[in-house]
Amino acid sequence: MTENSTVAAGDVPQLNPLYLLRWEEPQQAHVMLYPEGVVKLNETAAAILLLCDGQRTAADIVADLNSRYTDADVSAGVYRFLETSHAKGWIRIKS
Amino acid sequence: MPKAGSGLSLDGDRIPMWLVLELTYRCPLHCAWCNNPLDFDNYRNELSTEEWKRVLREARAMGSLQLGFSGGEPLLREDLEELVGEADGLGFYTNLITSGIGLSRERLQVLKAKGLKQIQLSLQSSDRAITDSLVGAKAFDAKLAAAREIKRHGFPMVLNVPICRQNIEQTEEILKLAEEIGVDYLEFANIQYYNWALLNRSEFLPTREQIAMAEAAVARTRARLGKKMTIYFVIPDYFDERPKACMNGWGAIHLTIAPDGSALPCQEARVIPGLEFPSVRDAPLAWIWHESPVFNEFRGDSWMKEPCRSCPEKEQDFGGCRCQAYLLTGNAANTDPVCAKSPQHHLVVDAVAEAVAPGRRHRPIVMRRRDSINTAFMGCGG
Ligand SMILES: C[S@@+](CC[C@H](N)C(=O)[O-])C[C@H]1O[C@@H](n2cnc3c(N)ncnc32)[C@H](O)[C@@H]1O
Ligand code: SF4
Ligand code: SF4
C-alpha cells in the first residue's frame, strides 16, 4: 500500500478524483468524502489538501502556507502530511 | 455501510452520519443470502416521494452525510432520480447500491446529471452459470454490462461480492474481472448470517482452507496492483475470535429507514423481538434518533452484561452485534457469541464444524421468494 510515498519539492500533488473535499457546516470542519467513508480534517490538514489542485508544486504549497502561518516553518510538517496523504491514497502525484 | 478500515474518524458526536434508505424490498433477483426480512413482501406500503424527501431534509439537518439508496432493488422506484437530485441538493454524498438489473444507459445519464456520486454494484461470481444460479435469474450479462456502463459514465465504483462456499474459490478470477472492468473498490463481503442467509447458513459457510486460499489471492493482487484498486477482504466473523464492531455501536452513526418508514439502528434490527421501531410517518426523525426507546436500548454500554461489562475491549467492538447475539443465544443483550469470551461461543464453533462435517446431509438452498417459506406467523412487517 505504501510503496514509494516520498514527495519531492517539484512534485505536483492532486486530490484523488474519487475524493470529495468540502466544508461541512454541522461538523464545523472540512471533510473528505469517498466511496467507503468520511474523514474529518483538522484545520491544517484541510489547508494543505485544498492546495493540492494539480497546479501547485509541493514547494509552492509550502511557500503559500508559510506566508499564512508565519510563526514557524511549516515545511517538514507539510511534506510529512503529503507523504501520509499519498500513502493513504488521498492525493496523487501528477506526472 | 461503515466498513473496517473505512477511515471513519468522526468522533462521538452521535450524529447519524450514515443514512441508508431502503426504498423498496421489491427485487427481480432471489439471492439466498439476502439480508432483507423473510417477510419482505409485507412491506408494500412504501413511503411516497414526498415522504422520502422529508426524511432526507430531516436527516441532513441532523448532520447526516453519507447516503445509500438501497433495497431491494432501488432502481424499481421510478422516483430514484428525483430523490438523488433532492439529496445532492441538500449536500449528501450519494451512493446507489444496486444489483445492476435495470441500470440502463439512460438512467445512468440522468443519475449522473442529478449528482449521484458513486455506485455500488453487487456481483456474485466471474462465472455466468454460477452467478445466475446463485441469484435465481439470468443476471450475469446484465450485471457485467451495467458495470461497464458505470465506468463509462465516470462513476467511482464499488464492486460488492458476497462470499460463500460456492464462489470463494473464484476469488482469483473475480479479482481479474474487477481489474479488467476498472473497479475502484472491490469488496469481498463475507456473508453475514441473518434472515435468508441464516436459513441457508450450513450451505454457505466456507471452509478455513477456502478462506486462506482467497486471502492469499487477495494479497498477491494487492502487491501487484498497489493503489489502483482498493480491495477489502474481511474474514467472516464466525471464523474470528472477536466480534465485529457492528454499526460502530447501536445508535452511534448509522440509521436505516425501511421501505415503510420504520427507523432502524441497523438493517437487521427487526429480527430482535419486542422492540418497537418508530416510523418517520409518525414522529420527527430527530426524536426517533435521540429520544426513542429503541435507539437508546443498546446505546453506550450500560446495557452490557458480563463478560462485556468489565472487558477492556468493549470500547473497540461494543460487544459485537445485537442481532447476532439474539439470533444465536436468544438474548440481544448477551455478548455476541462470535467472541471467544462469550459463554456461548461454542454455538459459532459448532456451526462452522457442522457445515464442513464429512458426510453431512446437504439441505436444499432456500431462495429469497415470497412463497419460499411460511411467514404468516411473523405478523405484519413494520
Ligand atoms: C441487500 S442488497 C440491496 C441492493 C441491491 N439489491 C444489491 O443487491 O446490491 C445490498 C448489499 O448487501 C449485500 N448483501 C446482501 N445480503 C447480504 C448478507 N447476508 N451478508 C452480506 N452482504 C449482503 C449485497 O451483495 C449488496 O451489495
Ligand atoms: S441481495 Fe439479491 S435478492 Fe437481496 S435485494 Fe439485493 S439483488 Fe435483491
Ligand atoms: S467480551 Fe464483549 S467487549 Fe470483550 S471482546 Fe468479547 S464482545 Fe468485545
Side-chain angles (χ1 to χ4, degrees):
Chain A
M1 287 283 278
T2 54
E3 92 286 354
N4 185 24
S5 54
T6 52
V7 175
D11 285 344
V12 179
Q14 181 179 33
L15 202 66
N16 180 338
L18 294 179
Y19 287 69
L20 191 73
L21 170 62
R22 65 142 209 256
W23 177 255
E24 177 65 7
E25 193 62 31
Q27 300 279 341
Q28 287 295 305
H30 276 91
V31 294
M32 258 205 319
L33 295 157
Y34 60 105
E36 296 283 275
V38 186
V39 184
K40 182 172 171 177
L41 300 167
N42 65 27
E43 207 186 315
T44 7
I48 297 169
L49 289 172
L50 285 165
L51 294 171
C52 295
D53 57 3
Q55 307 287 325
R56 293 175 168 86
T57 63
D60 294 338
I61 293 173
V62 169
D64 187 302
L65 291 166
N66 266 333
S67 69
R68 280 195 270 160
Y69 303 90
T70 42
D71 32 324
D73 184 13
V74 299
S75 177
V78 172
Y79 280 106
R80 212 176 317 120
F81 180 75
L82 286 175
E83 281 161 12
T84 313
S85 304
H86 189 229
K88 285 185 185 284
W90 297 350
I91 58 170
R92 294 172 177 179
I93 302 301
K94 237 176 114 178
S95 43
Chain B
M1 243 193 277
K3 309 280 163 12
S6 64
L8 192 112
S9 64
L10 290 155
D11 26 41
D13 298 339
R14 209 173 268 185
I15 290 175
M17 296 297 311
W18 222 287
L19 178 65
V20 172
L21 304 185
E22 296 183 324
L23 295 182
T24 178
Y25 285 142
R26 290 172 287 136
C27 184
L29 303 186
H30 311 282
C31 310
W33 55 85
C34 185
N35 54 17
N36 284 179
L38 298 177
D39 63 341
F40 64 90
D41 199 46
N42 288 339
Y43 292 81
R44 299 236 164 196
N45 50 342
E46 296 171 8
L47 295 188
S48 68
T49 310
E50 286 315 310
E51 286 175 312
W52 283 122
K53 285 186 178 174
R54 182 167 53 77
V55 171
L56 287 170
R57 286 194 297 272
E58 289 184 44
R60 184 64 188 136
M62 293 163 72
S64 291
L65 198 48
Q66 287 271 4
L67 171 62
F69 289 103
S70 188
E73 180 46 62
L75 288 164
L76 290 178
R77 288 278 304 214
E78 278 166 18
D79 54 1
L80 175 65
E81 288 81 348
E82 188 179 343
L83 294 174
V84 167
E86 176 81 9
D88 184 63
L90 289 167
F92 281 103
Y93 187 85
T94 49
N95 176 11
L96 173 64
I97 303 170
T98 178
S99 68
I101 307 302
L103 190 56
S104 64
R105 190 172 297 183
E106 293 69 30
R107 289 198 85 173
L108 273 168
Q109 264 161 13
V110 181
L111 287 166
K112 185 91 198 177
K114 294 281 186 186
L116 184 66
K117 293 290 179 289
Q118 69 137 331
I119 299 182
Q120 174 180 317
L121 176 77
S122 60
L123 184 74
Q124 290 68 28
S125 170
S126 47
D127 179 274
R128 178 180 295 108
I130 295 176
T131 304
D132 292 353
S133 89
L134 281 173
V135 304
K138 285 207 175 309
F140 182 79
D141 293 341
K143 281 172 176 276
L144 216 60
R148 298 196 196 284
E149 278 304 321
I150 291 168
K151 283 319 294 176
R152 195 166 303 143
H153 283 79
F155 284 104
M157 178 174 166
V158 179
L159 192 69
N160 174 289
V161 184
I163 284 292
C164 54
R165 180 187 308 161
Q166 287 77 353
N167 62 10
I168 191 168
E169 288 179 14
Q170 295 135 40
T171 302
E172 189 97 50
E173 290 77 57
I174 295 170
L175 284 158
K176 284 206 192 95
L177 181 61
E179 180 189 357
E180 187 243 310
I181 293 169
V183 167
D184 302 291
Y185 296 82
L186 175 56
E187 183 178 287
F188 289 105
N190 281 289
I191 286 179
Q192 308 209 33
Y193 294 99
Y194 311 96
N195 294 331
W196 297 90
L198 186 58
L199 282 182
N200 294 304
R201 183 177 69 184
S202 62
E203 307 312 305
F204 281 155
L205 271 172
T207 65
R208 275 182 201 279
E209 294 70 39
Q210 285 183 314
I211 295 170
M213 272 169 51
E215 276 184 307
V218 168
R220 281 195 301 275
T221 308
R222 277 198 188 123
R224 186 165 57 80
L225 291 182
K227 275 178 240 162
K228 227 177 94 194
M229 179 163 82
T230 306
I231 309 166
Y232 298 99
F233 184 93
V234 185
I235 85 160
D237 61 354
Y238 273 52
F239 294 87
D240 228 332
E241 301 277 280
R242 287 290 177 268
K244 54 187 182 281
C246 190
M247 299 288 127
N248 272 52
W250 182 277
I253 59 165
H254 185 96
L255 172 62
T256 291
I257 311 293
D260 63 347
S262 308
L264 313 171
C266 92
Q267 269 126 299
E268 319 305 336
R270 276 162 306 193
V271 302
I272 304 173
L275 299 180
E276 202 179 310
F277 299 97
S279 166
V280 296
R281 281 180 165 141
D282 306 323
L285 197 57
W287 178 86
I288 292 176
W289 175 259
H290 292 292
E291 313 285 338
S292 72
V294 74
F295 275 82
N296 287 299
E297 184 81 27
F298 302 113
R299 207 172 236 157
D301 57 16
S302 55
W303 55 271
M304 283 183 185
K305 309 201 289 178
E306 292 298 349
C308 293
R309 183 185 282 274
S310 56
C311 177
E313 288 171 61
K314 68 180 177 189
E315 308 285 322
Q316 273 93 60
D317 62 30
F318 318 104
C321 172
R322 294 309 88 226
C323 308
Q324 188 148 277
Y326 169 73
L327 288 171
L328 301 189
T329 76
N331 183 341
N334 279 342
T335 296
D336 184 336
V338 154
C339 182
K341 297 186 189 183
S342 155
Q344 282 117 330
H345 183 57
H346 61 91
L347 294 171
V348 170
V349 176
D350 292 349
V352 171
E354 190 225 300
V356 299
R360 176 180 69 87
R361 243 202 16 223
H362 288 265
R363 304 197 186 107
I365 290 181
V366 184
M367 302 300 281
R368 175 202 190 271
R369 288 182 201 276
R370 179 174 32 191
D371 46 9
S372 284
I373 51 166
N374 181 355
T375 55
F377 63 92
M378 298 179 60
C380 228

